[in-house]
Amino acid sequence: MPPIGLDPHSPLPPQQQLCRLLQQAIQQGQLAAGSKMASIRALAAQLGISRYAVLAAYEELAGMGLLNPRHGSGYYVRINATPPRQARPAHLDQVLDVALLIRGLVEPNNLLKCGSGALPKEWLQGLDLHRHLRSVAARPGANVYCYGSALGYAPLRDVLQQRLARRGIDCSAEQILLTAGSTHSLELLIRCCCATGDTVLVEAPGYYNLFSLLHLSGMAMQAVPRQADGPDLDALESLLRGGLRPRLFFMQSLLHNPTGSSLSWSKAHRLLRLAENYDFTIVDDDIYSDFATDQAPRLANLDGLQRVVYLSGFSKTISSDLRVGYIAAAAPLLQTLARVKLMISITTSEFIEQAIYQVLTHGHYERHLTQLRKRVGEGQDSMRQLLSTCGWHTFAAATQGMFIWCRHPAGKDSLLLAQEAAAAGFWFAPGSAFDPDHQPSAWLRFNVAYDTPELRAWLSTI
Ligand SMILES: Cc1ncc(COP(=O)(O)O)c(C=O)c1O
């Protein structure tokens, strides 16, 4: 077995590091086909990690078809372990790194998720979801055995239609498609609106999993710099004048991830004019919508869903586990999206949609939002104060969202910072993850809900 060195400062947990190193060793022929792997106990002792971590890495490699578990004997390198590098398209390697990053966030480890994109569960528990789930399950009409309907649970779509109307977005309930979260919405839009090789616009920095989804589908991404009041429209206009013809622009009007910034009215109008003149569609990802007011500038209420496709969901304010999101779009596009949804996931869970409906209609959701907004606002104030005392530079003024995008006073590379943070017990995604080309970056995304004395102490030392 080749020597294996785990990095104690890596933001990745040991099992993921080990899995990647062993995967490389197998693919590069350093571990011969048919050879027996070190025992779980021996390797755990050698590396100073838990046996569980080694077992998890071996199981992952078995799932990838690289190891063969033999009952009572151990794990063996598969004879015909086809190197996945050749078995899968090359562009997957880059997106799998992002998958590992997300895994570090969602899997249990001892790191405090200071860079997380979500609020801690303690902040959401006031909704008492368990009670709502039990009450929906107890109803005679609860759908737990059969497929739901194509567009999704109709009463929930009616409620969403009313909520959108309050934001000035007029559409019918038939123009709303329920999805299994915003990731599913993005995936459906990419599949329905783009062909391989099309150019799409993305914001830089922007949401890293969007970049991965676009990579997976073979799209060419053109970055538009994000500024504190929205995308840099001078830069966009000069690209368009230079002949760029994008199919879509994936952006966020409100509480943008990772910068927390929101679009100004003047930019909203100018952006819609550019979309009209150069014939592209804007996907407005409004996942942080419920933290903002109904009157905030949203492209969809200026445009009436002509050039804009609107998406949002409940991962940030109700549950990221229940997986409920939605798309509102012009009727013809919505029909296409609904048909593709039928193909790739048949339906979404009607039972869960009934639970979200129950929360929205009987669950004091508005009161919950008021409390969340208050806590997030207080978090913004105190975290900003702390960062400013420590000399950090922030990207945008205080917002209603959970993020602060900021730079270390000495401009230190955020990958190094993320590694140092992991060694001290804190999880951050390096700023480079938010760049479509993974360029080195000195910026880090802080989540204001994770302001602890330990984080404060660490920040004052770096
Ligand atoms: C901008 C943006 N879009 C989409 C998502 C994915 O949301 P969901 O959990 O609903 O799939 C996130 C999650 O952090 C996000 O920040």
Side-chain angles (χ1 to χ4, degrees):
M1 189 125 144
I4 291 174
L6 299 185
D7 176 359
H9 303 311
S10 167
L12 297 180
Q15 68 256 34
Q16 286 172 24
Q17 291 189 52
L18 181 61
C19 177
R20 287 176 69 178
L21 291 169
L22 291 175
Q23 182 189 351
Q24 270 168 14
I26 295 171
Q27 286 166 358
Q28 290 164 3
Q30 293 160 343
L31 282 164
S35 62
K36 185 172 179 201
M37 299 296 286
S39 76
I40 291 174
R41 180 194 297 261
L43 191 54
Q46 181 194 325
L47 298 175
I49 59 175
S50 71
R51 286 185 213 162
Y52 166 78
V54 178
L55 175 67
Y58 279 7
E59 278 298 308
E60 168 108 33
L61 291 163
M64 292 159 77
L66 295 177
L67 291 185
N68 239 344
R70 281 194 213 149
H71 191 64
S73 166
Y75 288 79
Y76 292 78
V77 179
R78 272 179 72 135
I79 302 288
N80 54 354
T82 37
R85 263 184 198 287
Q86 285 155 28
R88 67 184 185 219
H91 68 275
L92 260 185
D93 288 334
Q94 196 172 351
V95 302
L96 292 183
D97 279 348
V98 172
L100 282 177
L101 186 79
I102 296 172
R103 215 162 149 182
L105 183 65
V106 297
E107 284 198 346
N109 55 42
N110 293 327
L111 304 182
L112 184 72
K113 310 287 166 53
C114 303
S116 165
L119 293 175
K121 66 172 185 292
E122 296 74 24
W123 288 40
L124 304 178
Q125 275 165 347
L127 272 178
D128 198 2
L129 263 186
H130 291 93
R131 181 169 62 83
H132 293 297
L133 287 164
R134 278 195 304 273
S135 100
V136 171
R139 276 195 219 141
N143 183 7
V144 283
Y145 293 110
C146 307
Y147 289 124
S149 56
L151 292 184
Y153 186 53
L156 177 56
R157 288 187 290 105
D158 287 338
V159 169
L160 293 175
Q161 184 266 326
Q162 290 153 19
R163 292 182 72 80
L164 290 183
R166 288 214 301 271
R167 291 176 193 160
I169 301 171
D170 289 319
C171 64
S172 70
E174 302 304 302
Q175 283 176 267
I176 298 176
L177 178 71
L178 300 184
T179 63
S182 297
T183 306
H184 187 210
S185 304
L186 291 169
E187 163 77 2
L188 283 170
L189 284 161
I190 295 168
R191 285 187 189 247
C192 291
C193 301
C194 309
T196 308
D198 276 352
T199 298
V200 298
L201 301 168
V202 291
E203 294 183 285
Y207 175 47
Y208 45 72
N209 206 29
L210 167 67
F211 305 150
S212 305
L213 291 174
L214 291 166
H215 259 304
L216 271 178
S217 312
M219 301 298 147
M221 275 182 275
Q222 172 62 56
V224 179
R226 176 80 185 198
Q227 298 171 324
D229 59 349
D232 180 344
L233 296 185
D234 291 337
L236 174 58
E237 189 156 4
S238 84
L239 287 167
L240 296 166
R241 282 182 194 273
L244 186 80
R245 290 295 171 264
R247 176 81 60 172
L248 291 178
F249 184 8
F250 287 92
M251 56 86 61
Q252 285 187 268
S253 293
L254 293 178
L255 306 177
H256 169 252
N257 180 4
T259 65
S261 61
S262 293
L263 187 67
S264 64
W265 284 108
S266 61
K267 276 205 170 169
H269 286 286
R270 184 170 164 208
L271 178 54
L272 287 172
R273 276 199 307 275
L274 287 175
E276 190 63 41
N277 293 345
Y278 291 94
D279 192 24
F280 60 88
T281 298
I282 302 167
V283 176
D284 192 2
D285 180 346
D286 201 13
I287 177 123
Y288 298 96
S289 183
D290 281 351
F291 293 95
T293 58
D294 284 340
Q295 291 70 37
R298 290 177 173 86
L299 288 171
N301 69 6
L302 293 176
D303 164 79
L305 296 178
Q306 296 306 302
R307 288 257 155 217
V308 177
V309 178
Y310 181 86
L311 66 94
S312 188
F314 298 99
S315 296
K316 306 295 173 182
T317 50
I318 299 182
S319 160
S320 49
D321 184 65
L322 295 188
R323 315 297 306 137
V324 177
Y326 58 96
I327 306 175
L333 173 59
L334 201 99
Q335 280 164 25
T336 308
L337 289 163
R339 279 157 65 183
V340 172
K341 173 184 157 185
L342 282 168
M343 274 185 273
I344 65 174
S345 53
I346 307 195
T347 56
T348 36
S349 164
E350 185 165 290
F351 172 69
I352 298 297
E353 289 163 3
Q354 287 176 339
I356 297 289
Y357 170 77
Q358 159 99 4
V359 172
L360 295 187
T361 52
H362 299 93
H364 313 296
Y365 184 59
E366 296 309 322
R367 198 172 67 201
H368 168 71
L369 287 184
T370 308
Q371 283 162 358
L372 277 189
R373 288 185 194 131
K374 182 166 175 289
R375 283 184 89 170
V376 168
E378 288 164 0
Q380 278 274 344
D381 291 346
S382 61
M383 185 78 97
R384 276 176 186 272
Q385 208 163 14
L386 168 69
L387 289 164
S388 128
T389 313
C390 299
W392 286 63
H393 174 72
T394 48
F395 179 87
T399 69
Q400 299 157 296
M402 63 182 93
F403 301 134
I404 302 180
W405 181 241
C406 51
R407 203 176 56 202
H408 183 263
K412 207 167 177 178
D413 186 276
S414 63
L415 183 58
L416 288 177
L417 274 174
Q419 287 169 345
E420 285 176 21
F426 311 108
W427 184 93
F428 286 98
S432 52
F434 297 92
D435 184 90
D437 302 316
H438 298 291
Q439 290 299 314
S441 161
W443 294 83
L444 271 189
R445 181 185 73 180
F446 279 71
N447 184 323
V448 301
Y450 295 84
D451 182 348
T452 62
E454 293 78 17
L455 179 73
R456 289 178 165 255
W458 178 69
L459 275 176
S460 61
T461 61
I462 52 164

